Amino acid sequence: MPRSAVAESPGEKLNPEAIREQLESIVQDPAFRSSKRSIQFLRYVVEKTLSGDADQIKERTIGVEVFGRPPSYDTNEDHIVRTAASELRKRLAIYYGEEKHRSELRMSLVPGSYIPQFKLPEPAGAVAETDAGMDGVGGLATITAAELELKEPLVVSAATERSWKNWYTVSTVAVVLLVAVFGYLWFRPQSAQALFWKPVVETPGAVLLAVGDVPNGPPSSTPGETASSLPIIHKTSSTTVPFADAVTTARVLGVLQLQGKRVMIRREEASSFTDLREGPVVLIGAFNNEWSLRLTQQLRYSLALDAEKHLIYIKDAKNPSLRTWSWATDKSTDDQGAAGGPVLMDYALISRIWNSETGHVVIVVGGLYTYGTETAGEFLSDPQLMQTIAKQIPKNSHTNLQIVLGTTVTDAVAGPPKVLAVSAE
């Protein structure tokens, strides 16, 4: 059955052929072609479900049959299935986020499990039909005075007067309760996510989102390097951006659009200092975004290079000799975080910087490697994760705020973000 028939016939029952056709379209898309793991995972759970064996889709079963783990492997120590499922969900979100795919049969994983679910797209006119008969204010139905018809003459009696008095009392109580509710909503503490993004959201105008370019190898040191020297970024001529940066861009874009902000997206190379002065800015990327390096240089935590030890790292100005939060630039990128190997960590730095000259805020979101950038985007777009630092976010939006995150890499997939340090000064 062609996919167009699925989109045009919302009442039609899904069949295996339509689902398999959609599966092939998904795995051949650029969002999936670069991830063999996501393709294997999606094919496995879809075929299991179509064969009637959805009840067998368990974490251990997937680990053994898809990723070659031994039957006795410890799922508490080896998170391969959970991290692969997280990656699959992200890639599906990117796929269906494109306009050209929104009319297609939708695949997703049921929340809290690894079982796939299949849904036909909403017909284009569904929303309009649902709103028929509603007014333009909040979708509330209205009744005009002309539509009311009195069946009997209106007579005011003593009982009616008492009812009016009772109604007045009830109305007064209702007003008091409404005032109390609105007062609570007005004065209640804001969420950590709302406080973090507040100076961006409250600034009039559009937000510039500048995404780092594809790097051509690791950064290098400046000849005659001093403590204030910036690492030199080597870029390719590619007009694309790294996948992790694209995922993080999509997450940040979603947060800002939910707040009603208009966003302009540009490559870092196409962004000038004049652009940074015109309004709030979000910089995506660390060692592939020169603005990120420059603007964090004078803060407590900055992005630094140790050329002798072949490390890029997050530097702590109060402990400059430490290299705890680092990434080796001379190591192979193959089999990163493979099961049975040494624990591999990546790190990210999130900085909210107030520029007193322009009166605008700049937010820098970048990891030492791609895993760090991706986990930083996950942290900023998840209200529950951000709530862990609620007490450390300054209410004064003119105070610089920095967050250091860490993530464990398992089979080349980033794990959940962990807050390592917060600085507000």
Side-chain angles (χ1 to χ4, degrees):
M1 178 177 59
R3 191 181 310 111
S4 60
V6 173
E8 294 169 4
S9 306
E12 184 177 354
K13 184 178 179 181
L14 289 176
N15 60 55
E17 290 74 18
I19 293 172
R20 288 192 175 98
E21 179 185 350
Q22 181 62 24
L23 173 64
E24 292 306 312
S25 296
I26 291 173
V27 300
Q28 292 172 20
D29 190 83
F32 274 80
R33 283 204 302 261
S34 62
S35 177
K36 181 180 178 182
R37 184 200 323 276
S38 293
I39 294 174
Q40 290 176 324
F41 195 122
L42 186 59
R43 283 192 186 281
Y44 176 83
V45 297
V46 169
E47 290 299 334
K48 274 287 185 185
T49 301
L50 294 180
S51 64
D53 297 323
D55 58 332
Q56 297 180 19
I57 301 177
K58 307 292 184 183
E59 180 177 3
R60 184 178 301 280
T61 308
I62 297 172
V64 173
E65 297 187 7
V66 179
F67 301 118
R69 298 298 193 260
S72 59
Y73 90 103
D74 189 346
T75 57
N76 292 322
E77 294 292 332
D78 190 339
H79 301 161
I80 176 62
V81 176
R82 274 169 272 175
T83 51
S86 176
E87 178 187 7
L88 175 58
R89 286 187 170 96
K90 293 171 186 174
R91 290 181 186 273
L92 285 172
I94 292 172
Y95 177 85
Y96 285 112
E98 295 187 27
E99 186 67 33
K100 62 182 179 181
H101 299 310
R102 291 180 182 174
S103 62
E104 298 177 7
L105 185 154
R106 299 184 72 85
M107 291 189 186
S108 61
L109 298 184
V110 175
S113 79
Y114 306 114
I115 298 174
Q117 60 183 357
F118 315 106
K119 295 175 62 178
L120 290 169
E122 288 287 338
V127 176
E129 292 173 6
T130 302
D131 290 341
M134 303 293 183
D135 71 358
V137 185
L140 298 177
T142 60
I143 302 176
T144 64
E147 296 174 295
L148 293 177
E149 181 179 356
L150 294 177
K151 302 299 183 181
E152 297 180 2
L154 182 63
V155 179
V156 179
S157 65
T160 305
E161 291 180 358
R162 285 195 298 272
S163 67
W164 277 113
K165 291 179 180 179
N166 292 337
W167 174 249
Y168 177 78
T169 302
V170 171
S171 300
T172 303
V173 173
V175 170
V176 171
L177 288 175
L178 283 173
V179 170
V181 169
F182 281 112
Y184 167 76
L185 294 174
W186 183 265
F187 293 106
R188 69 175 176 174
Q190 288 184 295
S191 68
Q193 188 183 52
L195 280 174
F196 180 88
W197 291 104
K198 183 178 180 180
V200 175
V201 173
E202 291 187 348
T203 302
V207 180
L208 172 63
L209 219 166
V211 189
D213 298 296
V214 176
N216 185 15
S220 59
S221 58
T222 307
E225 180 180 10
T226 65
S228 60
S229 299
L230 288 174
I232 298 175
I233 297 176
H234 305 283
K235 304 177 183 178
T236 66
S237 57
S238 172
T239 57
T240 62
V241 297
F243 176 76
D245 290 30
V247 171
T248 299
T249 299
R251 288 179 176 273
V252 171
L253 179 63
V255 172
L256 294 175
Q257 288 184 331
L258 281 175
Q259 299 296 323
K261 294 298 291 184
R262 187 167 60 88
V263 180
M264 300 183 297
I265 302 177
R266 295 179 187 168
R267 292 171 53 210
E268 175 265 339
E269 192 174 54
S271 305
S272 66
F273 183 68
T274 302
D275 296 327
L276 271 63
R277 295 174 62 91
E278 291 181 351
V281 177
V282 180
L283 303 174
I284 304 295
F287 287 93
N288 63 332
N289 193 322
E290 188 173 341
W291 288 116
S292 298
L293 298 178
R294 290 183 179 278
L295 294 175
T296 58
Q297 189 179 20
Q298 303 302 321
L299 302 179
R300 160 108 186 243
Y301 298 116
S302 59
L303 301 162
L305 167 68
D306 188 330
E308 292 184 3
K309 296 182 178 179
H310 303 284
L311 295 175
I312 50 177
Y313 65 102
I314 297 175
K315 179 181 178 181
D316 184 352
K318 295 185 178 180
N319 299 282
S321 62
L322 292 181
R323 301 290 186 271
T324 306
W325 304 323
S326 62
W327 180 273
T329 59
D330 60 344
K331 302 294 184 183
S332 172
T333 57
D334 297 330
D335 300 321
Q336 291 178 327
V343 176
L344 181 64
M345 295 287 295
D346 195 7
Y347 303 93
L349 178 61
I350 299 171
S351 302
R352 192 186 71 183
I353 309 164
W354 179 260
N355 189 326
S356 58
E357 294 183 6
T358 64
H360 300 308
V361 69
V362 176
I363 292 179
V364 179
V365 185
L368 298 183
Y369 199 60
T370 58
Y371 310 111
T373 299
E374 191 170 342
T375 205
E378 179 181 356
F379 180 81
L380 286 176
S381 59
D382 189 320
Q384 291 184 339
L385 290 175
M386 291 205 70
Q387 203 60 28
T388 60
I389 63 166
K391 295 182 180 179
Q392 295 161 286
I393 298 181
K395 294 183 179 179
N396 183 357
S397 58
H398 294 191
T399 302
N400 292 333
L401 173 67
Q402 292 190 285
I403 307 161
V404 180
L405 302 174
T407 182
T408 303
V409 180
T410 304
D411 284 338
V413 178
K418 181 181 179 181
V419 178
L420 302 178
V422 179
S423 172
E425 54 186 38

